[in-house]
Amino acid sequence: MVLIVDDDGNDECSSLPMSQQEEWSDVVPIPQDDGKNPVCPILYTDEYREMTDYFRAVMAAGEVSQRAFELTGRVIDANAAHYTAWVYRKKLILDLGLDISEELSWVSDISGRHIKNYQLWHHRGALLALLLDPKDVEHESQDQRVQNPAIRNELQFVGEVIDNDSKNFHAWSHRQLVVRSYGIWDQEMAYVETQINQDVRNNSAWNQRYFVLTANQSADEFVLSEDVADREIGYAVEKIKLAPNNESPWSYVIGLLTRHAPGMLYERLLPRISELAADKDYALAVSSTPFYWSALVDIYEEQAKALSVDERGDVEAFAREACDSLAEKYDPIRAKYWEYRKQALQTTAN
């Protein structure tokens, strides 16, 4: 008995192998060619081997038919990493003029079994572009765009996936595709804040915040204004207060400023975290986390770059002291790394 998953994602059983089904009697299957003496042949099941043999024959003939389309679904559900089956399935959708919305529903139905499959997410992104050309909504406001059924449904789908697995790389990457393609940046920032509020340690949400803030621009294109920098510093500091030993907000604010406004590291951020480390309510928690001391190293190192060689002495000394604190007390497992950072500072000083 052969287990088959139909195009709606439902399990069906056929008592006959494909070679004995009338529907496929006109097709001569093409076996996989592993060479005369394969070193390590894959032990496919008989059902899967037969299925792919027929798929190769259909594809070799360039067949455009409903049965070929349904066969791609069976192959994909048996092996979602079968890239060629996904490619041929998309070709058939276009050639047969099939309903894109129905195909998205099918992808949703099988996604629970293949939620971290690259090909599934790539296919979904391609379908969305076919369903709604970004040029068709570029004249609309962001509020209008997010109300478009195609965009709204896609955000809902990927949102549900993230709710089930808040650090699913594929889902976040797909969400970036949707946001970037349709320019819905404002709506996405509100979503990101909700995710961070739910889990301040969700580094994926922090990464998404950076993506939205910079609107996916390069370091040369994006200009970080003082107002926005102050806002982001304040936001990060407030989240640090909630969990000082959480690396995410430290990495976010250090990375943001280092890349787009290095001067603000020591002009704006240093006073804020120094104040936090001196606050009796947070002093112990902040001063005992390696991320605080690591931030000091990065800040002082950046500040030294802005000074002449003769003026760097004190600042680099502060950075070296922070390296010692990390190597000896707060992050000894990476002592060699902090010794390297310290030596690099000494090299710069010389």
Side-chain angles (χ1 to χ4, degrees), residues 95-295:
D95 291 350
L96 293 170
L98 300 180
D99 190 297
I100 303 298
S101 296
E102 289 185 4
E103 177 69 0
L104 279 168
S105 296
W106 178 80
V107 174
S108 297
D109 290 340
I110 70 166
S111 64
R113 297 188 291 277
H114 313 292
I115 200 62
K116 293 190 176 181
N117 174 267
Y118 281 96
Q119 286 75 30
L120 181 146
W121 288 101
H122 178 78
H123 186 67
R124 191 171 187 99
L127 292 174
L128 183 62
L130 291 171
L131 183 64
L132 180 64
D133 189 328
K135 292 181 180 179
D136 292 342
V137 294
E138 62 184 7
H139 64 283
E140 299 179 353
S141 68
Q142 291 193 39
D143 288 341
Q144 290 175 316
R145 292 175 203 168
V146 297
Q147 293 306 314
N148 184 289
I151 298 174
R152 185 178 66 247
N153 292 341
E154 199 63 15
L155 290 176
Q156 180 179 349
F157 170 78
V158 74
E160 290 172 355
V161 174
I162 290 174
D163 285 344
N164 290 327
D165 181 359
S166 63
K167 299 182 181 181
N168 185 322
F169 166 81
H170 306 274
W172 282 108
S173 295
H174 184 72
R175 194 171 182 97
Q176 289 188 0
L177 172 69
V178 178
V179 171
R180 181 174 60 248
S181 297
Y182 300 103
I184 47 176
W185 304 100
D186 295 343
Q187 184 272 350
E188 187 64 8
M189 183 59 84
Y191 175 80
V192 167
E193 293 199 1
T194 298
Q195 291 296 310
I196 292 176
N197 287 338
Q198 289 177 353
D199 179 8
V200 74
R201 293 175 174 82
N202 188 347
N203 52 295
S204 296
W206 283 97
N207 178 71
Q208 188 79 347
R209 186 177 183 89
Y210 176 82
F211 167 77
V212 175
L213 181 70
T214 61
N216 198 38
Q217 298 176 77
S218 68
D220 294 333
E221 295 172 325
F222 177 68
V223 177
L224 183 64
S225 69
E226 291 189 8
D227 288 345
V228 173
D230 282 336
R231 184 194 71 197
E232 294 305 298
I233 289 171
Y235 183 83
V237 168
E238 289 304 309
K239 300 307 179 185
I240 288 171
K241 288 180 180 179
L242 296 176
N245 203 36
N246 169 28
E247 186 176 6
S248 294
W250 292 101
S251 295
Y252 171 77
V253 71
I254 291 291
L256 175 67
L257 298 180
T258 298
R259 189 171 192 186
H260 300 289
M264 294 187 185
L265 281 167
Y266 44 89
E267 293 172 359
R268 306 291 179 86
L269 179 60
L270 180 59
R272 293 294 302 273
I273 64 173
S274 297
E275 178 183 348
L276 195 60
D279 188 317
K280 61 181 180 61
D281 292 330
Y282 303 102
L284 180 60
V286 171
S287 62
S288 61
T289 177
F291 308 122
Y292 165 71
W293 294 95
S294 175

Side-chain angles (χ1 to χ4, degrees), residues 287-336:
S287 62
S288 61
T289 177
F291 308 122
Y292 165 71
W293 294 95
S294 175
L296 292 181
V297 174
D298 292 333
I299 292 170
Y300 288 133
E301 185 175 46
E302 201 63 46
Q303 185 177 13
K305 294 178 184 178
L307 300 172
S308 67
V309 175
D310 294 337
E311 297 174 318
R312 294 176 183 175
D314 290 344
V315 173
E316 289 184 334
F318 293 150
R320 289 193 293 273
E321 289 174 6
C323 286
D324 287 338
S325 296
L326 284 158
E328 297 169 6
K329 185 175 182 180
Y330 299 111
D331 194 19
I333 197 170
R334 296 199 301 162
K336 293 293 184 181

